[in-house]
Amino acid sequence: MKNLFILAITCMATLTSCNKSQEMDKEKTNAKTYMEEFHSYAQPNDAVITHLDLDIDVNFDTQVISGTATYDVVNNGATAIILDAKYLEIIAVKADGKETRFQLGTMDESLGQPLRIEIKESTNKIAITYRTTAQTEALQWLTAQQTADKTNPFLFTQGQAILTRTWIPIQDSPQIRITYEAKVQVPSNLMAVMSAENPKEKTADGIYHFKMVQPIPAYLIALAIGDIEYKAISDRTGVYAEKSMLDKVHTEFSDMEKMVVTAENLYGAYDWEQFDVIVLPPSFPFGGMENPRLTFATPTVIAGDKSLTSLVAHELAHSWSGNLVTNATWNDFWLNEGFTVYFEIRIMEALYGKKRADMLALIGRQDLEDELESLKDSPNDTKLKLDLKGRNPDEGMNSIAYDKGYLFLRTLEEKVGREQMDGFLKSYFKKNAFSTTNTEDFITYLNTNLLEKNNITFNTEEWIYQPGVPDNAAIIESDAFTRVEKVLQAFVETNTIDASITTTWTPQEWVHFVRNFPEDITLEQLQQLDDTFYFTDSTNSYISMVWYEQSIIKGYHGNKVDSKISEFLNTVGRRWYVTTLFKAFKKTDRIEEALTIYKTARPNYHSVTSNTIDELLGL
Ligand code: BES
Ligand code: ZN
């Protein structure tokens, strides 16, 4: 700010060269003030990176990525620039082409180490030669056996929340945006893709060049390498998958272009040109990850009937809420996820109708009740605005941000009306595009642009800063689910089900049915349901997961469900699914069984999932 003020005076004196030098100065100071952040060692107000040029070699034999990360730097007069690094071997560092001194600070279990690099006032480039280690948390190296085709190994990265620093030394804060280029050398029988402009075919030499021209935070840098192929859906959408999955994935996600159009009609142009999805091996720890231009997804959503594609709507929505307008700190995580769930459900409603949207919303409402119950001893974690100082952000990231965040926006929508809400959200995305925002800035923006303008009072502060759910929460209803509940109740009372009703049920209705078994449902009844509807053999991962959960909790052992559960946990690494099942074992004191399964399953899990389960099982 001070610099700009001095500049303004200088400008008045020397009018001729003013514009140019003003631009240069803006570039130099980066014209942005960063707020204090607890999950990165970077001091961006002193010296900040603006562009990454990555040149790496990916070695599947040694399971090491090695190479050089070169950064454009804006130095505001500091003698050092600080990056984040965790479990990296730093080999050499240069500033402006010359070797410079660097120092790795004390290791913190969740944050890693500050990498302090000495620079000069004039420094505008640094280059770090490094190598990853066996402890890297972002990378999951998979054997051929862990893939769909079973013939080639696979590698993928997961950056969010603070894992990018385990495969690239970087200023790993959501507030710091960079553009990037990369040259990646992989074995020539494999293809590499990133959250960037991507190849559509393999190269002969295994060298791939990438370019990401829109500035993004470090947690969105991503890489996947495997024997994959591309199949386009439209000019700007398509899918990557292993050969044996490609057609299935393509059919499942065939509405992707329509989703992008629907999203654009709601909240403005899609700013990332391309929207592709890569379906990864089943150990991928999330349902999806919104890596820009290329969402990473679990194969567990490939149900064969497009029933679980709201996940694509969700990750697509992040192209606005999260990737375009990014939470300034992980305490503001709800700004990413709550807005995204709201946006996701709006896309699903516009594309597939109110019935589908209502079901999604009500499933989320029930998830919220479950989460509130499981967090009843730590009410602070049920606030939208979190306080994760001194904690690993991963710990505080539960479904509150998603489902309470959604409920807040839905309640607000009902208060102000849909038209006002949409105008407001559209302008919010536009105003903050390619930037970050925090909870307090959001509240100010909301007050000025929606509430005060329309003379509306709303208990925003209670929603955001208090635990639990305020009394004015919107009532979420689904007629379809009400019917499901009636069928369930009738079954419990009479042991009969009118099959003519259930034939038209969607997987969501079955999920609701299974999840809401009453306390006193009998084992005979579970057996009868299983024999009639084949839950144990369901091919829909969501139905399987809730059925397995119920089986564990109720002690049902029919139709070899136990071996199915074990097989599921040994192949699927999606954290939400895996955690739900291990929690069920824990709740019913079946820890021994859980440990037996976990012993063989753990090596298949990404660190994100194994860390959670280690903690859950007290390992
Ligand atoms: N960005 C999240 C995944 C994430 C969150 C990774 C926090 C690391 C830390 C992603 O968009 C997401 O929310 N995925 C959900 C799917 C969704 C449909 C709710 C998931 O993985 O289940
Ligand atoms: Zn999300």
Side-chain angles (χ1 to χ4, degrees):
M1 209 57 220
K2 203 171 101 202
N3 285 354
L4 287 177
F5 181 59
I6 295 167
L7 178 83
I9 295 171
T10 332
C11 278
M12 278 186 260
T14 54
L15 267 173
T16 42
S17 62
C18 191
N19 273 353
K20 192 150 179 250
S21 80
Q22 194 167 8
E23 252 168 45
M24 279 166 62
D25 195 81
K26 203 170 170 194
E27 215 170 78
K28 193 164 166 34
T29 57
N30 207 24
K32 181 179 155 121
T33 309
Y34 299 86
M35 57 187 288
E36 190 179 13
E37 226 242 284
F38 303 109
H39 299 109
S40 166
Y41 289 110
Q43 298 296 327
N45 291 315
D46 297 341
V48 69
I49 55 171
T50 58
H51 178 80
L52 162 66
D53 197 342
L54 192 65
D55 183 352
I56 51 173
D57 178 79
V58 181
N59 189 325
F60 279 82
D61 297 329
T62 55
Q63 302 198 331
V64 167
I65 290 181
S66 60
T68 302
T70 305
Y71 289 102
D72 291 352
V73 166
V74 171
N75 185 5
N76 294 322
T79 53
I81 180 166
I82 300 172
L83 274 64
D84 296 291
K86 193 178 183 189
Y87 305 133
L88 291 177
E89 192 182 322
I90 306 296
I91 299 160
V93 182
K94 287 182 179 170
D96 300 315
K98 286 195 234 46
E99 291 258 341
T100 185
R101 284 208 299 216
F102 69 92
Q103 196 185 14
L104 276 166
T106 320
M107 176 77 181
D108 177 277
E109 215 188 307
S110 56
L111 303 182
Q113 296 168 287
L115 170 59
R116 189 176 180 280
I117 297 169
E118 290 188 12
I119 55 174
K120 298 207 186 84
E121 174 120 33
S122 58
T123 297
N124 54 29
K125 246 189 213 327
I126 54 170
I128 305 152
T129 302
Y130 74 99
R131 168 175 322 127
T132 61
T133 65
Q135 284 165 289
T136 176
E137 292 170 315
L139 305 178
Q140 191 177 12
W141 301 90
L142 299 172
T143 61
Q145 209 43 43
Q146 292 168 297
T147 68
D149 291 0
K150 315 237 176 280
T151 44
N152 280 294
F154 207 105
L155 169 71
F156 65 81
T157 67
Q158 167 59 38
Q160 197 181 14
I162 56 168
L163 302 181
T164 298
R165 64 190 70 176
T166 75
W167 75 282
I168 312 173
I170 198 164
Q171 290 188 318
D172 197 2
S173 153
Q175 285 181 87
I176 303 172
R177 303 179 91 87
I178 58 169
T179 50
Y180 77 85
E181 278 162 74
K183 173 176 170 249
V184 181
Q185 168 80 66
V186 306
S188 61
N189 54 334
L190 305 180
M191 176 146 104
V193 287
M194 292 189 81
S195 51
E197 213 170 290
N198 273 312
K200 299 206 158 102
E201 276 170 15
K202 283 185 192 141
T203 59
D205 56 5
I207 296 177
Y208 293 89
H209 292 273
F210 301 94
K211 213 174 187 156
M212 183 59 181
V213 295
Q214 290 94 347
I216 57 167
Y219 77 88
L220 293 175
I221 299 176
L223 169 69
I225 301 165
D227 187 2
I228 50 172
E229 291 180 22
Y230 182 73
K231 195 166 175 184
I233 288 166
S234 67
D235 284 355
R236 58 168 174 177
T237 66
V239 293
Y240 290 88
E242 292 180 67
K243 201 182 187 67
S244 65
M245 299 276 291
L246 192 65
D247 287 335
K248 260 184 273 176
V249 168
H250 187 264
T251 310
E252 197 82 17
F253 294 161
S254 63
D255 285 349
M256 255 163 61
E257 171 63 30
K258 279 189 227 158
M259 279 190 182
V260 180
V261 172
T262 307
E264 287 190 306
N265 286 339
L266 280 167
Y267 301 126
Y270 179 75
D271 267 328
W272 308 85
E273 296 153 50
Q274 189 76 22
F275 180 70
D276 293 327
V277 175
I278 178 171
V279 171
L280 297 163
S283 67
F284 185 60
F286 295 103
M289 177 63 214
E290 66 273 24
N291 297 315
R293 298 182 69 117
L294 180 64
T295 279
F296 283 22
T298 169
T300 61
V301 292
I302 310 302
D305 57 2
K306 302 188 181 182
S307 59
L308 304 179
T309 56
S310 60
L311 177 114
V312 175
H314 179 96
E315 305 312 335
L316 169 65
H318 273 305
S319 305
W320 287 260
S321 42
N323 299 2
L324 197 61
V325 181
T326 307
N327 51 207
T329 77
W330 296 117
N331 288 340
D332 309 299
F333 181 57
W334 77 277
L335 291 176
N336 274 20
E337 297 300 341
F339 281 65
T340 295
V341 174
Y342 178 82
F343 196 165
E344 165 201 336
I345 293 179
R346 292 293 306 275
I347 293 172
M348 294 305 283
E349 178 179 334
L351 211 46
Y352 303 110
K354 194 166 173 313
K355 178 190 167 192
R356 181 111 179 235
D358 286 347
M359 292 193 298
L360 282 171
L362 195 51
I363 287 179
R365 188 68 185 85
Q366 193 175 346
D367 290 340
L368 177 57
E369 280 316 306
D370 290 354
E371 192 72 296
L372 289 169
E373 171 64 24
S374 78
L375 292 171
K376 63 176 185 298
D377 296 327
S378 39
N380 283 338
D381 286 347
T382 71
K383 295 175 180 170
L384 284 178
K385 169 93 184 192
L386 297 167
D387 180 8
L388 300 171
K389 187 178 174 183
R391 292 168 78 182
N392 189 318
D394 219 40
E395 275 174 40
M397 290 171 160
N398 49 49
S399 56
I400 296 295
Y402 294 77
D403 299 316
K404 184 177 171 184
Y406 169 77
L407 195 56
F408 162 68
L409 291 169
R410 163 86 180 248
T411 306
L412 186 63
E413 180 206 310
E414 290 188 7
K415 177 93 187 178
V416 302
R418 190 166 264 199
E419 207 178 312
Q420 296 281 6
M421 183 75 178
D422 285 353
F424 166 72
L425 286 177
K426 203 167 171 172
S427 72
Y428 167 76
F429 290 134
K430 197 165 174 180
K431 173 175 180 277
N432 296 298
F434 294 108
S435 179
T436 41
T437 189
N438 63 30
T439 301
E440 290 63 39
D441 291 343
F442 165 73
I443 294 175
T444 307
Y445 192 75
L446 172 69
N447 286 339
T448 319
N449 295 283
L450 187 62
L451 300 178
E452 283 158 17
K453 211 162 144 186
N454 297 294
N455 228 342
I456 294 168
T457 50
F458 194 76
N459 54 340
T460 313
E461 312 265 331
E462 181 186 0
W463 272 95
I464 292 176
Y465 297 112
Q466 297 300 320
V469 172
D471 292 340
N472 67 328
I475 311 279
I476 314 279
E477 281 168 322
S478 150
D479 297 341
F481 281 1
T482 306
R483 285 192 292 273
V484 168
E485 287 157 27
K486 288 207 177 104
V487 172
L488 176 58
Q489 198 185 346
F491 169 74
V492 175
E493 283 160 13
T494 65
N495 288 331
T496 49
I497 279 204
D498 180 354
S500 70
I501 300 175
T502 59
T503 45
T504 58
W505 279 7
T506 59
Q508 278 69 27
E509 285 156 300
W510 285 115
V511 163
H512 192 68
F513 181 81
V514 171
R515 252 183 123 184
N516 288 286
F517 289 159
E519 201 76 51
D520 56 357
I521 194 166
T522 65
L523 290 176
E524 290 72 29
Q525 285 174 322
L526 291 175
Q527 183 75 56
Q528 186 190 339
L529 288 173
D530 201 8
D531 291 341
T532 316
F533 300 113
Y534 308 105
F535 291 130
T536 294
D537 292 320
S538 173
T539 51
N540 185 294
S541 68
Y542 197 3
I543 298 176
S544 302
M545 192 272 286
V546 291
W547 172 254
Y548 296 159
E549 181 190 21
Q550 291 287 4
S551 300
I552 298 167
I553 291 172
K554 307 272 186 316
Y556 170 74
H557 300 284
N559 297 341
K560 303 209 173 82
V561 69
D562 296 290
S563 68
K564 281 285 192 171
I565 292 170
S566 171
E567 188 189 317
F568 187 86
L569 286 169
N570 272 286
T571 42
V572 175
R574 185 175 179 184
R575 179 166 68 173
W576 168 40
Y577 282 6
V578 170
T579 309
T580 305
L581 298 185
F582 279 114
K583 267 189 184 164
F585 277 119
K586 188 172 167 178
K587 193 170 157 187
T588 48
D589 292 324
R590 290 167 65 181
I591 287 285
E592 283 310 313
E593 279 166 83
L595 289 173
T596 307
I597 294 172
Y598 192 44
K599 202 170 170 190
T600 55
R602 192 177 187 279
N604 286 327
Y605 294 165
H606 185 274
S607 72
V608 155
T609 300
S610 57
N611 284 343
T612 302
I613 306 302
D614 284 355
E615 163 109 22
L616 181 73
L617 299 178
L619 300 174

